[in-house]
Amino acid sequence: MSLTTEEIKAIRKKFNLTQVMFAKVLGLGQKTYTRYEAEISTPNPSVAKLLKVLDKHPEFIYSFIELSRDQLSSEEISFIEYSIENSEIFKKIKDDSMKMPVTLLEEQLSILKEENEAVKSDYINEQIKQFEKAILILRSNG
């Protein structure tokens, strides 16, 4: 399930974000993300899945922004939201399409839980917590 450097860059550019801001939104280290785009290292399977989900469902980026709010300054949040709102992909998406289907997140959560049973990773545990938070947020927003 690996991604090429070009695919990784294209996903980020879809949101009109810098490497630094995209890494922050995804909860990744800046150097880690930069290494993916520079082809120095490859994303682990969980990050690759996450990127593929964002590629297919770009509206999910808003949940990641919401989950990252406590690690971002208000200026960074403004920059990220402005960049995304001015990206080509979001000029095509209507407001009502930003309501994420909880079922897709629940499916991804299930996959992460299965994967974690095999490897017992702290990183995957953190991803599981983020998906659980996203599902709670979506359910509370109706």
Side-chain angles (χ1 to χ4, degrees), residues 1 6 34 42 54 64 71 73 75 78-79 100 139:
M1 182 169 275
E6 292 77 23
T34 301
T42 58
L54 281 174
F64 285 95
Q71 287 113 23
S73 69
E75 292 83 14
S78 295
F79 174 81
M100 295 172 35
R139 285 192 176 141

Side-chain angles (χ1 to χ4, degrees), residues 114-136:
E114 286 176 25
E115 187 175 316
N116 200 35
E117 285 298 314
V119 295
K120 303 288 185 206
S121 162
D122 288 339
Y123 177 78
I124 296 175
N125 277 332
E126 187 57 38
Q127 293 296 312
I128 289 170
K129 288 176 189 174
Q130 288 185 349
F131 272 91
E132 289 171 339
K133 283 182 190 177
I135 290 168
L136 286 174

Side-chain angles (χ1 to χ4, degrees), residues 24 27 67-73 76 130:
K24 285 185 176 193
L67 293 170
S68 302
R69 281 195 184 272
D70 57 340
Q71 287 113 23
L72 298 167
S73 69
E76 288 172 325
Q130 288 185 349

Side-chain angles (χ1 to χ4, degrees), residues 39-114:
E39 213 169 356
I40 295 170
S41 65
T42 58
N44 68 43
S46 295
V47 173
K49 286 178 189 177
L50 174 79
L51 290 168
K52 286 185 177 190
V53 168
L54 281 174
D55 190 34
K56 290 185 184 200
H57 301 282
E59 66 274 13
F60 283 23
I61 195 76
Y62 286 104
S63 288
F64 285 95
I65 293 168
E66 191 61 38
L67 293 170
S68 302
R69 281 195 184 272
D70 57 340
Q71 287 113 23
L72 298 167
S73 69
S74 58
E75 292 83 14
E76 288 172 325
I77 292 169
S78 295
F79 174 81
I80 290 166
E81 289 175 343
Y82 177 82
S83 295
I84 291 171
E85 288 167 10
N86 288 289
S87 66
E88 287 300 314
I89 191 77
F90 282 94
K91 289 178 184 172
K92 298 175 187 171
I93 295 176
K94 295 178 183 174
D95 288 346
D96 63 346
S97 69
M98 292 190 300
K99 295 177 183 169
M100 295 172 35
V102 173
T103 6
L104 292 174
L105 281 177
E106 288 173 332
E107 288 173 15
Q108 183 65 26
L109 178 61
S110 175
I111 291 167
L112 285 172
K113 284 182 176 179
E114 286 176 25

